[in-house]
């Protein structure tokens, strides 16, 4: 039973291309997130959505556009990919907002820009 | 700016000993703290979280929180080689669907 699933697991593409990463959770959670983990393993929040509404955009370039068609899905579209976008992108979800709600992570999508 | 600091390690501990992982945070408004374990090439896996001062125990793991000192720790008793991983400390400061602020992680090696 996959709780938070992301596709694809690996994504190799050329600079300037546009790509999307999909995320789905079957936990019944209301809140979903995108994190970026760079080559130094530093994990940083990019976006969060609560009930399909954007709550956080942590100064992410507008080449990155999240879309949430429903509570169970949060997709990430990236335009005009750059070398610095190479990283592992993790989707996560939590039951709700609030300080007692732990976040559960997907397996990550490793994005490599050639 | 919210920051979470961890010693990157590696921290080497003999099998069967207690591993002690430490974390400090800058935002006094942080309300809760999470410890995640991440194996190489894998996703972060929640171990436990704490939001009250003092100790919280779960099996071989004990989380400790001291809000006055802005300090969080994780103790792993009877360390096993399978505990070898990177341990990420994260804080939550609230204010809606806030993301977690992560430290850079401590690489723990349990020596058989």
């Amino acid at each position: 039973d996959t709780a938070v699933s992301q596709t694809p697991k690996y994504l190799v593409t050329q600079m300037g291309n546009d790509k999307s990463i999909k995320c789905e959770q079957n936990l019944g959670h209301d809140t979903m997130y995108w994190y970026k983990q760079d080559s130094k393993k530093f994990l940083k929040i990019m976006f969060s959505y609560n009930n399909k509404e954007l709550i956080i955009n942590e100064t992410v370039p507008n080449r990155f556009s999240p879309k949430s068609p429903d509570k169970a899905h949060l997709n990430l579209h990236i335009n005009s990919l750059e070398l610095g976008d190479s990283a592992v992108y993790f989707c996560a979800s939590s039951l709700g907002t609030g300080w007692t709600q732990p976040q559960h992570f997907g397996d990550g999508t490793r994005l490599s820009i050639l | 700016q919210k920051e979470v600091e961890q010693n990157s390690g590696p921290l080497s501990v003999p099998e069967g000993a207690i591993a002690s992982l430490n974390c400090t945070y800058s935002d006094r408004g942080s309300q809760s703290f999470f410890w995640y374990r991440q194996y190489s090439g894998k996703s972060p896996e929640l171990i436990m979280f704490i939001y009250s001062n003092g100790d919280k125990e779960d099996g071989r793991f004990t989380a400790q929180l001291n809000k006055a000192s802005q300090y969080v720790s994780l103790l792993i008793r009877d360390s096993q080689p399978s505990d070898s991983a990177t341990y990420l400390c994260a804080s939550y400061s609230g204010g809606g669907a806030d993301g977690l602020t992560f430290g850079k992680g401590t690489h723990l090696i349990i020596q058989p």
Side-chain angles (χ1 to χ4, degrees):
Chain A
D1 289 349
T2 303
V4 182
S5 60
Q6 298 177 227
T7 54
K9 193 172 175 64
Y10 299 96
L11 188 51
V12 181
T13 189
Q14 292 191 327
M15 206 163 49
N17 284 351
D18 303 338
K19 290 294 179 185
S20 292
I21 307 172
K22 295 185 177 181
C23 179
E24 176 182 3
Q25 54 93 5
N26 62 4
L27 298 167
H29 287 171
D30 293 325
T31 310
M32 297 184 71
Y33 312 81
W34 277 109
Y35 286 85
K36 178 181 179 181
Q37 189 170 42
D38 61 24
S39 58
K40 296 181 180 178
K41 308 300 182 188
F42 190 38
L43 197 59
K44 190 171 182 182
I45 182 71
M46 298 174 70
F47 299 101
S48 75
Y49 266 72
N50 187 44
N51 280 319
K52 302 192 297 176
E53 291 189 17
L54 176 66
I55 304 297
I56 295 177
N57 177 343
E58 287 288 331
T59 61
V60 176
N62 58 14
R63 298 183 295 105
F64 291 79
S65 52
K67 283 189 172 48
S68 182
D70 55 58
K71 284 196 319 182
H73 296 84
L74 181 62
N75 304 323
L76 183 64
H77 187 76
I78 315 170
N79 289 328
S80 302
L81 281 158
E82 300 177 356
L83 289 175
D85 298 332
S86 294
V88 181
Y89 292 84
F90 286 101
C91 177
S93 71
S94 61
L95 182 59
T97 62
W99 47 278
T100 62
Q101 303 301 330
Q103 296 177 19
H104 300 269
F105 285 77
D107 287 339
T109 295
R110 185 174 296 275
L111 175 61
S112 299
I113 309 301
L114 303 177
Chain B
Q1 178 145 356
K2 306 170 197 173
E3 289 185 348
V4 174
E5 300 285 343
Q6 295 181 257
N7 189 325
S8 60
L11 173 65
S12 188
V13 173
E15 183 176 357
I18 296 175
S20 178
L21 303 159
N22 304 316
C23 168
T24 58
Y25 60 95
S26 63
D27 182 9
R28 285 198 171 272
S30 297
Q31 296 174 300
S32 53
F33 305 87
F34 300 79
W35 283 101
Y36 285 83
R37 176 175 62 198
Q38 187 174 27
Y39 294 112
S40 182
K42 300 295 185 182
S43 62
E45 173 192 6
L46 180 69
I47 296 176
M48 60 192 307
F49 65 99
I50 186 168
Y51 47 83
S52 298
N53 272 330
D55 296 359
K56 179 181 178 183
E57 188 175 319
D58 184 1
R60 296 187 297 114
F61 299 96
T62 298
Q64 299 174 317
L65 174 59
N66 183 327
K67 290 187 177 180
S69 301
Q70 296 178 242
Y71 177 89
V72 191
S73 65
L74 179 70
L75 301 177
I76 307 174
R77 287 182 300 282
D78 188 23
S79 297
Q80 304 297 311
S82 59
D83 294 327
S84 297
T86 296
Y87 288 78
L88 303 170
C89 174
S91 69
Y92 175 80
S93 298
D98 209 349
L100 297 174
T101 300
F102 280 88
K104 293 188 177 180
T106 297
H107 183 42
L108 175 66
I109 299 172
I110 305 300
Q111 294 180 323

